[in-house]
Amino acid sequence: MPHDYANLFRLDGRHALVVGAGSGIGREAALALAAHGARVTCADRDLPAAEQTAALGNADRDTSDAQGNPTRGTSDAQGNAALTPYELNVLDPEAITTAAQTLDPVDILVFTAATNVRKRILDYTGEEFDRVVALNLRASFDLIRAFGKQMADRGRGSIIGFSSIRATTVEPGQSVYAATKAGLVQLLRTAAAELGPNGVRVNAIAPGVVETPLTAQIKANQPWYDAYAAKSALNRWATPDELAGAVVYLASDAASFVTGSVLHVDAGWTAIDGRFTPPT
């Protein structure tokens, strides 16, 4: 029988937890997952921001069901809100444990929360090091453990973490951030190896330069902003919504044989050698 390719990216009946859904890439990921039929918990330490994301996704929402028929409204087939806000501080391991125990079983876990301190190594403080590692790596570890276990117990699930081009290409001032993003890739790959036999897929997305609150410092400096734009093959920055397709893909059955992978969404940044175009 031919495969149902028309619905390959549909997520009907699945519950997605998006950590960092209050803004930027996390917000767009939550909206995109809901648009493809998932019920989404929008988790963020900033509850009003998570509420705004949920409101954006629920207000006058046009979607389609698994048969492609247009639907309109704020609920799934069981009457649940398509997007619901949830306050979560991932720096608190107990809060993560509580979320895993109290939320409905999670089929898709996406986490985007990260921080960066742009300083050269000799200027870095121990407190700054600990702060970046705590959010970028330790919190990811706690999320994978808490929700990976329940996925493994149920025999299915997709975990999607956000790495960065800085996991492979670095520049001065990015030492600890780059180290955490490289470490996250290996953490996710190991989780893919360990959880794969239980039907759980684990992958990383590595964005290039994206206009988010985390990169506001660069955007405010026009020469710096322009230099980054010129480095990519497309000569521009990404907007957060341009990462949403990668999230939907890895969450869906379209990626049923994809695990332990790093999907670069970087406009060719990591493929291009150097910053000089030789003369023809």
Side-chain angles (χ1 to χ4, degrees), residues 49-192:
E51 291 172 339
Q52 185 179 20
T53 299
L56 284 170
N58 286 329
D60 298 324
R61 196 169 58 92
D62 287 314
T63 61
S64 60
D65 61 20
Q67 286 71 47
N69 302 310
T71 62
R72 190 175 183 83
T74 61
S75 302
D76 63 13
Q78 289 73 44
N80 300 305
L83 298 95
T84 56
Y86 183 85
E87 184 174 6
L88 178 62
N89 178 9
V90 293
L91 293 175
D92 180 358
E94 291 186 6
I96 292 175
T97 300
T98 298
Q101 293 172 343
T102 59
L103 290 173
D104 288 343
V106 171
D107 303 294
I108 302 159
L109 170 65
V110 181
F111 50 92
T112 67
T115 190
N116 192 4
V117 175
R118 299 177 186 278
K119 284 186 177 181
R120 299 198 175 213
I121 292 173
L122 299 186
D123 298 324
Y124 237 88
T125 68
E127 184 277 331
E128 290 165 339
F129 179 95
D130 290 342
R131 174 153 45 96
V132 175
V133 171
L135 181 57
N136 296 7
L137 200 54
R138 175 57 195 263
S140 301
F141 172 74
D142 290 335
L143 287 165
I144 293 167
R145 285 203 305 169
F147 292 95
K149 182 181 187 306
Q150 64 170 235
M151 289 179 182
D153 289 343
R154 294 166 60 223
R156 66 183 186 277
S158 174
I159 297 174
I160 304 164
F162 271 77
S163 180
S164 168
I165 55 172
R166 294 303 173 211
T168 51
T169 61
V170 300
E171 67 180 5
Q174 295 273 27
S175 60
V176 182
Y177 179 81
T180 60
K181 292 302 184 178
L184 178 59
V185 167
Q186 295 302 79
L187 184 65
L188 291 168
R189 283 174 168 164
T190 305

